[in-house]
Amino acid sequence: QVQLVESGGGLVQPGGSLRLSCAASGIDFRPYVMGWYRQAPGKQREFVATISSGGITNYADSAKGRFTISRDNAKNTVYLQMNSLKPEDTAVYYCHTRVDILNYWGQGTQVTVAS
């Protein structure tokens, strides 16, 4: 039973920082790409960042220079360090991985950026 559980969301002021975590269970995610996506109210879910098994990262243009994705394979956990947060970053953030043809998603963690 594969499960992804996000944590670390909350309310932060513009310019502030937040660190999200995604803990995986029921799977050793070391061989797989892990990613973060987000969905704001009234909008479709969008790509934020991914990290490969070898540590290669990719970011959405909106995240480049501000967000950092990382992984700790020993802890089966992926992180998203979010700096210089803007109100437009407000969304539910979801952890994701794909194993063969199967996609796994967490339930999401709310990030709200407001003064």
Side-chain angles (χ1 to χ4, degrees), residues 4-7 36-37 92-95 105-110:
L4 304 177
V5 180
E6 303 94 338
S7 63
W36 287 97
Y37 295 74
V92 177
Y93 284 71
Y94 297 91
C95 182
W105 295 91
Q107 291 299 305
T109 185
Q110 176 71 49

Side-chain angles (χ1 to χ4, degrees), residues 21-96:
S21 298
C22 171
S25 61
I27 187 175
D28 179 355
F29 76 179
R30 285 177 289 181
Y32 306 111
V33 175
M34 303 294 298
W36 287 97
Y37 295 74
R38 68 187 183 188
Q39 188 167 19
K43 296 185 177 181
Q44 292 187 312
R45 190 170 299 185
E46 67 177 3
F47 161 77
V48 176
T50 56
I51 183 166
S52 74
S53 60
I56 298 173
T57 58
N58 287 287
Y59 297 94
D61 288 342
S62 60
K64 289 179 180 177
R66 300 188 300 125
F67 294 2
T68 302
I69 188 171
S70 62
R71 65 194 296 163
D72 186 336
N73 289 335
K75 297 180 179 179
N76 231 31
T77 300
V78 63
Y79 305 94
L80 185 68
Q81 178 66 47
M82 308 166 69
N83 299 326
S84 302
L85 284 162
K86 305 174 181 179
E88 51 262 46
D89 295 318
T90 296
V92 177
Y93 284 71
Y94 297 91
C95 182
H96 168 267

Side-chain angles (χ1 to χ4, degrees), residues 99-115:
V99 181
D100 197 8
I101 63 170
L102 300 178
N103 290 280
Y104 296 98
W105 295 91
Q107 291 299 305
T109 185
Q110 176 71 49
V111 172
T112 302
V113 185
S115 58

